[in-house]
Amino acid sequence: RFATLQSDKGQELLRLLGLPAQDFETFVLLERGAVFTKSTAALRIAKQLSGCWPLFALFGLVPRSLRDRLYDFVARHRYRFMGTAQTCRTPSATERDRFV
């Protein structure tokens, strides 16, 4: 399930987890009661995807401080790397059910 950190539910979860409620520069993964952020969250998600994405889990061998610096760099420059869109895609009915 998904929630934006700025939403009421996202803010409530951040407060419950004791995480900063104004830091929207990352995403948070809650998995079986454990909290993961930045590169660790991204790598845990990549392991669950199909194709070659699970290979990115090998970056888990790199110290977290270095991974998070790379994560921050990519996050800062994501529009330069991946471009922008004129419109946002609207989630389908099935996808909409996955948002909190």
Side-chain angles (χ1 to χ4, degrees):
R1 304 202 44 159
F2 304 91
T4 62
L5 295 177
Q6 298 93 330
S7 70
D8 291 341
K9 186 62 173 177
Q11 288 289 296
E12 179 185 337
L13 286 170
L14 289 173
R15 277 192 300 278
L16 285 171
L17 297 168
L19 296 171
Q22 300 304 317
D23 180 14
F24 305 130
E25 299 298 317
T26 189
F27 64 94
V28 178
L29 171 66
L30 302 177
E31 188 176 53
R32 294 183 177 94
V35 179
F36 304 97
T37 60
K38 293 194 178 197
S39 65
T40 306
L43 293 176
R44 293 187 74 87
I45 290 169
K47 280 184 2 184
Q48 298 176 38
L49 299 174
S50 60
C52 63
W53 289 105
L55 293 175
F56 279 90
L58 294 173
F59 281 106
L61 300 172
V62 174
R64 182 178 174 191
S65 61
L66 294 175
R67 287 192 333 254
D68 282 349
R69 274 191 262 163
L70 177 61
Y71 173 93
D72 290 337
F73 177 81
V74 171
R76 260 191 324 276
H77 301 287
R78 67 185 176 272
Y79 295 124
R80 188 178 329 161
F81 298 146
M82 297 171 253
T84 60
Q86 295 296 323
T87 60
C88 292
R89 187 176 70 78
T90 305
S92 68
T94 359
E95 292 170 331
R96 220 173 297 124
D97 289 342
R98 298 185 71 194
F99 286 85
V100 208

